[in-house]
Amino acid sequence: MIEKSFVMMKPDAVSRRLMGQILSRFEEKGLKIVALKLRAIDEDLARKHYGEHSDKPFFEGLIEYITSSPALTMVIEGDDAIAVIRKMVGATNPKEAAIGTIRGDFGMDTGRNIIHASDAPGSAKREIALFFDEDEICDYSMSDNAWIYE
Ligand code: IDP
Ligand code: MG
């Protein structure tokens, strides 16, 4: 099923100049970028986005990290995109994430783990609406579609 996922390169990815490399991975895989915005995430938005973790001991540090410097927010589309992207992102702790995944290749610490990606259709819908207006999401077709999908 064609799905949309909310993906965010966190401030460490942007500040370490990893945006191009990471974006290339999604393009090379055959996924479609349908929205993309570099933006500062304010405290209110960060708290809403990570609301499910508000009771965790790492929560305040997480809010500080996410709001510390701009992040690259995206909506990425493709067949089973939510699960495919989570697989490309890798485990939450970059030391445990498989080599070949984004976190496994670029990170060291759970508190600096490079990238966020929606984990299920419900959270994808919620997160996309939190970060993008409907008219910011592009509807277009790729000329290589028949070479990516059977
Ligand atoms: P996920 O991003 O792989 O879905 P979650 O468990 O949902 O992982 O946690 C959300 C984010 O909170 C993580 O990506 C990471 O930035 C941060 N986080 C989770 N656990 C810890 C921790 O133990 N220390 C510091 N930050 C953490
Ligand atoms: Mg999560």
Side-chain angles (χ1 to χ4, degrees), residues 87-150:
K87 209 177 250 187
M88 293 175 75
V89 162
T92 306
N93 181 345
K95 287 196 188 80
E96 285 163 14
I99 298 304
T101 65
I102 294 165
R103 286 168 172 168
D105 287 353
F106 295 119
M108 286 296 283
D109 251 13
T110 304
R112 296 288 183 271
N113 66 353
I114 314 283
I115 190 161
H116 164 86
S118 304
D119 61 5
S123 53
K125 194 166 188 254
R126 185 184 76 85
E127 292 168 358
I128 290 168
L130 200 53
F131 285 87
F132 288 95
D133 293 331
E134 246 169 72
D135 66 1
E136 291 178 306
I137 299 167
C138 299
D139 184 8
Y140 66 108
S141 50
M142 299 295 235
S143 60
D144 60 3
N145 218 42
W147 296 112
I148 306 278
Y149 296 114
E150 187 181 349

Side-chain angles (χ1 to χ4, degrees), residues 24-106:
S24 286
R25 291 186 176 213
F26 294 123
E27 290 193 292
E28 286 165 356
K29 178 70 175 163
L31 292 159
K32 179 160 73 170
I33 314 299
V34 295
L36 182 140
K37 197 196 302 183
L38 182 71
R39 59 174 295 179
I41 296 181
D42 66 27
E43 197 183 315
D44 182 56
L45 182 57
R47 285 181 188 278
K48 273 190 194 135
H49 174 60
Y50 282 120
E52 63 170 311
H53 297 298
S54 60
D55 297 340
K56 310 266 171 67
F58 60 81
F59 185 66
E60 293 305 323
L62 173 61
I63 299 306
E64 208 166 294
Y65 163 44
I66 293 301
T67 59
S68 62
S69 189
L72 188 71
T73 54
M74 291 166 278
V75 179
I76 303 183
E77 188 182 280
D79 195 26
D80 286 330
I82 295 167
V84 167
I85 293 168
R86 287 288 288 194
K87 209 177 250 187
M88 293 175 75
V89 162
T92 306
N93 181 345
K95 287 196 188 80
E96 285 163 14
I99 298 304
T101 65
I102 294 165
R103 286 168 172 168
D105 287 353
F106 295 119

